[in-house]
Amino acid sequence: HSVTRIDSLYGDKAIVQGKSILKLSMSGVMLMEGGMCSYGVSDTINELYAAYRNPNIAGIILEVNSGGGESVAGDALMSAVKDRNKPLVSVAHLAGSAAYKGILHSDEILGITESSRFGSIGTFISLPLNELKEYAETVLDIYADVSVNKNIEIREAFKGNFQPMKNLVNKSAISFQESVKELRNLKGSEAKITETLSGGVFSSNDAKSRGLIDGVASFGEAVKKLEFHIKNQK
């Protein structure tokens, strides 16, 4: 189960022009759907859209502590943050992989301490080899003659050919890298930018020097930055 949590705080940190600032917290492995005792990213997204519709909320602080999770969850959060109609600042203890991708459209991305970490830009798939072998030996899948490419990646994996699966992972990773290059002003030489995008994780100051984040700020300082965006929004 996902351990993503939502913590909504209305008006306890700042009031801007008579309106509240909403704080949402998201932590743990990012799964699209939650369970009986946990929230999923879909719940976080629902909270975001509710905030967008609420005229009493002037802006949003999104606090993140996640190393990532499902690619689809990162993509969905990224789309929801892009749809914002009011300022949103993300602060993070850890924002890696899908979690980092999800906050790329924030007005600012901030490390909450100098030891906060960002990056892990990349994609991978874990295949349980024992289960693959057992499935291939005990289950017969019969596909229509006109469905030769259906589930081709996993069908080839059953045969020991993992290249189609690798192609799928490569495509996803390149798309992730392109999103980061488009939405962040990456800094340094071409070699440094390549290193930044290759899956490493960087502490706040290093991440800032690479252009992955905008700075380091306490929660109170992040609220002040959000207030600035609220007062200067178009």
Side-chain angles (χ1 to χ4, degrees):
H1 294 301
S2 167
V3 292
T4 301
R5 299 191 304 273
I6 295 176
D7 178 24
S8 302
L9 305 177
Y10 292 85
D12 68 326
K13 290 292 183 182
I15 301 293
V16 179
Q17 298 177 346
K19 298 182 180 181
S20 299
I21 284 176
L22 172 66
K23 175 177 174 287
L24 296 178
S25 296
M26 187 185 73
S27 65
V29 179
M30 292 179 64
L31 300 180
M32 194 64 189
E33 302 301 328
M36 292 181 62
C37 301
S38 60
Y39 289 101
V41 172
S42 61
D43 298 296
T44 303
I45 290 171
N46 289 338
E47 288 280 329
L48 285 172
Y49 281 108
Y52 299 160
R53 295 190 298 269
N54 190 334
N56 295 317
I57 294 175
I60 302 163
I61 294 281
L62 179 58
E63 183 180 16
V64 177
N65 186 25
S66 173
E70 294 178 340
S71 293
V72 65
D75 289 338
L77 180 60
M78 181 183 179
S79 178
V81 173
K82 181 180 180 180
D83 276 347
R84 71 194 185 287
N85 59 358
K86 54 193 65 177
L88 184 153
V89 169
S90 291
V91 297
H93 306 272
L94 169 64
S97 197
Y100 180 73
K101 186 175 186 180
I103 61 176
L104 279 173
H105 281 285
S106 304
D107 288 289
E108 290 193 52
I109 300 175
L110 303 168
I112 204 161
T113 67
E114 292 182 0
S115 60
S116 298
R117 292 170 293 159
F118 300 86
S120 192
I121 297 165
T123 307
F124 75 98
I125 294 176
S126 296
L127 295 177
L129 296 179
N130 288 340
E131 293 181 20
L132 282 177
K133 181 179 179 181
E134 180 181 357
Y135 187 95
E137 291 175 348
T138 59
V139 177
L140 174 63
D141 291 321
I142 300 175
Y143 287 84
D145 291 335
V146 293
S147 303
V148 292
N149 288 321
K150 186 175 179 63
N151 299 328
I152 189 64
E153 294 85 8
I154 193 66
R155 288 166 68 184
E156 287 299 308
F158 283 139
K159 301 175 185 177
N161 176 18
F162 299 103
Q163 190 58 51
M165 191 72 73
K166 176 64 75 68
N167 294 341
L168 188 67
V169 172
N170 286 340
K171 183 177 180 180
S172 177
I174 291 171
S175 175
F176 191 172
Q177 291 179 340
E178 291 300 320
S179 294
V180 176
K181 287 191 287 187
E182 176 186 355
L183 297 171
R184 297 298 310 177
N185 181 25
L186 297 181
K187 301 174 183 177
S189 64
E190 184 175 344
K192 184 173 182 177
I193 290 174
T194 297
E195 181 188 45
T196 298
L197 296 170
S198 66
V201 179
F202 311 97
S203 61
S204 291
N205 288 333
D206 195 4
K208 181 182 178 181
S209 74
R210 295 170 182 272
L212 291 176
I213 68 172
D214 298 292
V216 182
S218 66
F219 181 74
E221 291 168 338
V223 168
K224 291 180 180 179
K225 289 178 178 291
L226 179 62
E227 291 174 337
F228 173 83
H229 288 288
I230 292 169
K231 293 173 181 177
N232 291 279
Q233 65 184 317
K234 296 179 181 180

